[in-house]
Amino acid sequence: MTGVDEDPRVAELRTAVSRLRRQLAVLPADFPDRGIAEDELAALAAMAAGGVPEIPRLRASLLLVAGAIGSMSALARGLSQVRAAVDLFGEPPRG
């Protein structure tokens, strides 16, 4: 259950990550970087559960997930939804 005062960006991230994790779990194909994708999706879920996550860490996890999943068309929509959710947090500050 989500809190009334919850940041809607966090709720969107949690939903998108959960959806992609489910899609990955039922995917019958095994691929070399599946473990990386699963680990990074778990990290994204933990960040979303902890409140507003650090943008650089979010983006790093997104890149790892995208690289691990590659061009698997069965996961393309779910990955796009996770990316859109991460984009809601904006760009990291440039130093």
Side-chain angles (χ1 to χ4, degrees):
M1 179 181 287
T2 61
V4 174
D5 294 331
E6 181 180 44
D7 186 328
R9 300 172 303 169
V10 174
E12 184 66 27
L13 178 63
R14 185 174 36 255
T15 300
V17 168
S18 177
R19 188 175 297 125
L20 184 54
R21 289 177 86 182
R22 285 191 308 269
Q23 291 170 350
L24 182 58
V26 298
L27 189 70
D30 198 16
F31 52 96
D33 293 331
R34 185 180 192 125
I36 293 169
E38 291 170 342
D39 289 349
E40 288 304 317
L41 285 170
L44 283 167
M47 284 185 256
V52 178
E54 295 178 28
I55 295 170
R57 179 68 179 111
L58 272 180
R59 293 200 174 280
S61 286
L62 175 62
L63 286 174
L64 287 168
V65 169
I69 289 175
S71 61
M72 299 190 74
S73 60
L75 301 175
R77 184 171 182 210
L79 182 59
S80 292
Q81 291 171 339
V82 171
R83 180 175 182 228
V86 169
D87 286 346
L88 293 174
F89 290 90
E91 291 293 324
R94 302 211 181 246

